[in-house]
Amino acid sequence: MFRFGVDYYPEHWPEERWPEDARLMAEASINVVRLAEFAWSFLEPQPGCFDFDWLDRAIAILHGQGIQVVLGTPTASAPPWVMAMFPDSYKVNEDGHRRTYGNRCEFCPTHAGYRERGRMVTRAMADHYADHPAVIGWQIDNELNGRCYCPNCQSGFQQWLQVRYATLEKLNVTWGTAFWSHVYTDWSQVPVPVETGGVPNPGLDLDFRRFMSDTFAGFQQEQVDILRQLCPTHFVTHNFMSFGFDQINYYDLAKPLDFVSWDNYPRTGWHLVKEADHAYLALGHDATRGFKGKPFWVMEEQSGSGGWQTVGMTPRPGEMRLWTYQAIAHGADAIIYFRWRTARFGTEQYWHGVLYHHGQPGRRYDELKSIGSELKRAGEQFLGAENRNQVAMILSYDTRWAFQGQQNHADFSYDSLFGSYYKALHAHNIGVDILPPGADLSRYRLVIAPALYILPDEPAERLRSFVQNGGLLIATARSGVKDEANAVVDRYLPGLLAAVCGVEVEEYDVQPADSTIPLELALPDRETLSAQARLWFDVLHTTTAQPIATYQSGYFSGSPAITLNRFGEGKAIYVGTLGDDALHDAVVDWALQSIDLHSAIHAPAGVEVAERWQGDERLLFLLNHTDQIVEVPVTQSYADLLGGTTVNQSVQLPPYGVSVLHNQA
Ligand code: GLA
């Protein structure tokens, strides 16, 4: 069954209303709800006194309507009594300030007492619901996030370092503490990188970010262990945030879970944007699928205006359905909308759900209902379908964290560079897998590794053999700059990629963002194009590569900026500048053409085409992200999976409309 659900908070509403909620949900074909991830005060009103009666009654009403339940462990927001019990369990911010009560996710992840209470409530819930016929799985906590700089985290960090380095000598050499005489002679001297009035040692800084990420993974693991032991038939997941969340290594966090979930808010309310950025949403889905390399759930899908203090744009008619199918196209096996009914109180009283505060069904409920009945009919055909992509991008958390510590250029953003290359692929409707460094690349034809700044031996070797065996690699400036310790390599850049790319960086220069340098881009078999280099300018010496773009001004005018190298059976393009979107588009366009990779359907701008495979059958999703009617030409006959018709020459999509076509391969 395709799971179609809502996030529901019965504890916000009088109990007399629950049957009406469940009835309306069932009428909309809702078959699953997520419950209780913020209900700790009600589950354990006093230390050790658990109360599941109210939740049992809510679940019984839902189950009576055929609705199943995913339970959240409630540790993201603790009742005041927990925090009063452990005043030192509030997170300490980077500026050394300790938080106080009133928000959520305010706990220090290394605090033994908090963790123990978290295990206790998890164990009590797991014990109680292990055999409940309505309960199918668990969400651990909620959007784990944050970093803590308290004394307890400092000693946790010191212990983590002892495991990593075994001796202080090794740590001192690895971090290069010879610099400024920071040579540690006792583990207890090692600080956390709080506001020191300067820039911390890059080795220490990166290790602290790794430690915090590992700490959250360990926090999650304790609850996973309890659930695996007590509820062996239930699945365990966690709701991740979008591609842009960069504090926890999501590849690590995904490991012990059955599948990954994420929370998708196309029109958040923090920034009022006229159009949801559909390429960025696609990136969120693709990144999420990549964290575990398999289909995922959307645990929270926007269904109303977002907003805490200000109110965001309401999803336009059709957008809920469009976002639902976009998620499915990129690998979602379940969609759960946030939230059933808009809360009347609390911080999120303007974060709207399917129903307004008044609780009466309206336009968005009607849309939910029609999506629900469509997926009841068609949803099973999408379950477990594969996204078989020939293009991969490499996403490195070590690189992200190293850039967090040292941005390199005030206008440079790793995420934006990554997004810019991703968007260039997305504009061609080419599916992308997003992989960690060191992943197996043998099934791909094109790999883009933007600014792979921290590049240890193994991932470098993967890229080398990928090209050696016939792949096409695109690498950029600020690749191979550092080793695993966040120390700069003692060789020509791009370090371990220099031979594959056939270049050596002789010099580099940076300039203000508004000072661009024109490039003459002579891609093989193409007319010469003009593009702009910006921010970062590698001056390249070609060893075996051929220049395909040269700088047209500045003291290094005439030197190569972009090169193409043959290496083994394959090729590598090195883009020695951080460029602009037009440059990335041109390079990606050429790369796709050179490996003859194109989308099965050529759609007009604003229409996304994505494909999944169910065995030999290809499912083609046409997603109209515009508010206009569009006509999409097709060159063969397809069956329209949702409409039940056959399509021959073209498909007409209404504003925000969707069509799913299929044919035998
Ligand atoms: C996140 C959280 C939810 C809610 C929404 C809207 O995704 O998981 O609890 O706060 O954002 O703000």
Side-chain angles (χ1 to χ4, degrees):
M1 153 171 70
F2 189 93
R3 310 261 186 210
F4 185 72
V6 286
D7 300 300
Y8 183 43
Y9 300 88
E11 68 274 23
H12 295 176
W13 304 101
E15 195 161 338
E16 306 81 76
R17 168 71 191 202
W18 298 353
E20 173 67 355
D21 284 335
R23 187 188 67 76
L24 286 169
M25 287 179 199
E27 264 182 30
S29 308
I30 294 297
N31 54 36
V32 63
V33 295
R34 182 194 63 183
L35 297 175
E37 85 283 7
F38 288 115
W40 196 345
S41 281
F42 297 89
L43 298 166
E44 191 182 4
Q46 287 179 52
C49 299
F50 295 100
D51 176 8
F52 298 115
D53 289 353
W54 67 274
L55 189 54
D56 290 348
R57 294 196 299 278
I59 294 177
I61 290 168
L62 292 160
H63 198 211
Q65 293 285 2
I67 296 171
Q68 296 178 316
V69 168
V70 177
L71 288 173
T73 67
T75 44
S77 191
W81 66 256
V82 173
M83 302 311 280
M85 197 177 257
F86 309 115
D88 60 344
S89 73
Y90 287 102
K91 273 195 186 95
V92 170
N93 297 335
E94 200 172 352
D95 61 4
H97 174 82
R98 197 184 277 283
R99 299 188 193 176
T100 49
Y101 200 79
N103 200 339
R104 60 177 172 179
C105 313
E106 50 208 355
F107 64 89
C108 159
T110 62
H111 193 280
Y114 190 93
R115 283 170 78 139
E116 170 60 11
R117 301 285 351 165
R119 290 195 300 273
M120 283 167 71
V121 68
T122 301
R123 200 173 292 116
M125 286 179 84
D127 248 339
H128 189 83
Y129 289 107
D131 300 316
H132 195 294
V135 177
I136 56 171
W138 297 81
Q139 171 191 297
I140 307 277
D141 201 271
N142 190 82
E143 297 186 340
L144 289 165
N145 71 85
R147 288 186 179 126
C148 178
Y149 298 80
C150 76
N152 202 45
C153 287
Q154 182 176 4
S155 58
F157 180 42
Q158 291 160 351
Q159 285 158 30
W160 183 92
L161 292 169
Q162 288 180 47
V163 173
R164 188 173 173 90
Y165 295 108
T167 66
L168 272 175
E169 290 67 31
K170 180 132 188 259
L171 174 142
N172 281 316
V173 170
T174 310
W175 286 359
T177 55
F179 193 79
W180 282 349
S181 262
H182 285 184
V183 181
Y184 298 103
T185 53
D186 194 284
W187 293 101
S188 65
Q189 296 160 354
V190 180
V192 289
V194 280
E195 185 60 69
T196 54
V199 176
N201 175 303
L204 180 151
D205 192 66
L206 177 56
D207 272 342
F208 183 75
R209 293 171 201 273
R210 288 176 175 141
F211 157 71
M212 263 296 139
S213 177
D214 284 2
T215 299
F216 278 104
F219 180 90
Q220 175 186 256
Q221 187 65 49
E222 289 182 351
Q223 297 188 18
V224 172
D225 290 345
I226 293 168
L227 295 168
R228 295 280 180 224
Q229 190 202 346
L230 298 177
C231 307
T233 60
H234 294 165
F235 66 74
V236 180
T237 188
H238 171 69
N239 56 336
F240 290 37
M241 290 184 259
S242 75
F243 165 80
F245 175 75
D246 55 13
Q247 293 172 338
I248 299 175
N249 183 329
Y250 271 171
Y251 293 105
D252 291 345
L253 202 67
K255 277 186 194 131
L257 305 174
D258 291 293
F259 55 84
V260 165
S261 304
W262 83 291
D263 300 339
N264 183 28
Y265 291 96
R267 292 184 183 274
T268 59
W270 311 126
H271 315 287
L272 276 182
V273 281
K274 284 287 278 178
E275 297 300 333
D277 181 350
H278 63 88
Y280 190 74
L281 302 178
L283 172 56
H285 290 302
D286 286 345
T288 304
R289 193 185 62 253
F291 295 135
K292 200 144 176 100
K294 65 188 280 198
F296 55 90
W297 281 33
V298 178
M299 196 57 94
E300 299 178 15
E301 176 68 64
Q302 184 167 359
S303 65
S305 301
W308 283 11
Q309 286 154 302
T310 56
V311 178
M313 285 172 73
T314 306
R316 290 13 227 160
E319 276 191 327
M320 274 170 73
R321 178 166 176 267
L322 173 68
W323 297 334
T324 298
Y325 281 100
Q326 187 188 29
I328 296 172
H330 287 268
D333 266 356
I335 308 286
I336 302 197
Y337 299 88
F338 188 88
R339 59 182 77 195
W340 171 243
R341 180 172 171 185
T342 317
R344 291 181 45 234
F345 32 64
T347 301
E348 295 193 355
Q349 61 191 168
Y350 287 130
W351 202 286
H352 295 75
V354 175
L355 306 184
Y356 271 102
H357 306 88
H358 55 58
Q360 300 310 312
R363 193 258 300 173
R364 296 197 305 273
Y365 174 79
D366 293 343
E367 289 188 35
L368 179 85
K369 196 168 163 181
S370 85
I371 307 166
S373 82
E374 192 169 70
L375 284 173
K376 198 170 176 179
R377 205 165 18 87
E380 252 174 72
Q381 304 179 68
F382 305 125
L383 288 180
E386 278 177 78
N387 293 74
R388 285 183 202 156
N389 296 321
Q390 301 185 45
V391 179
M393 290 186 70
I394 311 292
L395 173 65
S396 159
Y397 280 87
D398 274 352
T399 289
R400 267 184 156 168
W401 295 335
F403 280 133
Q404 285 171 5
Q406 293 170 300
Q407 208 180 336
N408 280 240
H409 186 297
D411 292 294
F412 170 66
S413 145
Y414 173 67
D415 284 12
S416 302
L417 181 73
F418 194 100
S420 174
Y421 278 102
Y422 178 89
K423 284 177 183 180
L425 293 163
H426 185 79
H428 287 269
N429 287 316
I430 298 297
V432 185
D433 286 346
I434 296 180
L435 308 174
D440 178 8
L441 302 175
S442 51
R443 57 178 278 208
Y444 299 98
R445 297 175 63 209
L446 170 64
V447 169
I448 306 185
L452 213 45
Y453 187 57
I454 301 271
L455 185 60
D457 293 346
E458 196 209 329
E461 177 50 32
R462 287 276 190 188
L463 292 170
R464 204 191 66 84
S465 57
F466 166 73
V467 181
Q468 178 83 47
N469 295 329
L472 174 59
L473 171 69
I474 301 178
T476 75
R478 307 320 280 150
S479 295
V481 178
K482 300 228 181 168
D483 65 16
E484 208 165 357
N486 208 5
V488 179
V489 298
D490 54 357
R491 45 169 86 215
Y492 280 108
L493 300 183
L496 296 174
L497 293 183
V500 184
C501 294
V503 290
E504 287 172 350
V505 177
E506 280 190 330
E507 286 201 33
Y508 45 74
D509 187 29
V510 290
Q511 292 190 24
D514 57 359
S515 151
T516 58
I517 294 190
L519 293 177
E520 214 172 81
L521 188 59
L523 292 159
D525 308 322
R526 291 274 173 105
E527 280 178 17
T528 303
L529 292 173
S530 305
Q532 299 296 322
R534 61 191 287 269
L535 307 184
W536 193 277
F537 312 91
D538 281 345
V539 180
L540 301 175
H541 162 67
T542 52
T543 49
T544 54
Q546 70 180 99
I548 52 178
T550 44
Y551 295 111
Q552 298 300 302
S553 69
Y555 79 88
F556 41 78
S557 179
S559 335
I562 306 180
T563 57
L564 175 66
N565 191 41
R566 285 180 188 281
F567 184 85
E569 303 289 302
K571 290 178 189 162
I573 298 176
Y574 183 78
V575 183
T577 171
L578 298 173
D580 64 0
D581 288 353
L583 176 64
H584 305 150
D585 288 347
V587 172
V588 166
D589 184 63
W590 179 83
L592 292 174
Q593 203 185 17
S594 80
I595 58 169
D596 195 23
L597 189 61
H598 45 79
S599 164
I601 289 179
H602 290 281
V607 176
E608 179 183 354
V609 182
E611 62 177 51
R612 282 181 92 183
W613 293 80
Q614 205 50 289
D616 281 346
E617 197 172 14
R618 171 156 62 182
L619 306 173
L620 282 164
F621 294 76
L622 306 186
L623 306 158
N624 178 10
H625 292 282
T626 76
D627 58 2
Q628 306 292 315
I629 299 173
V630 289
E631 200 76 26
V632 183
V634 295
T635 51
Q636 65 174 88
S637 141
Y638 291 101
D640 179 337
L641 191 145
L642 302 175
T645 54
T646 301
V647 166
N648 284 311
Q649 285 172 337
S650 72
V651 185
Q652 193 183 72
L653 298 170
Y656 304 118
V658 173
S659 179
V660 185
L661 308 180
H662 64 126
N663 64 346
Q664 294 301 124

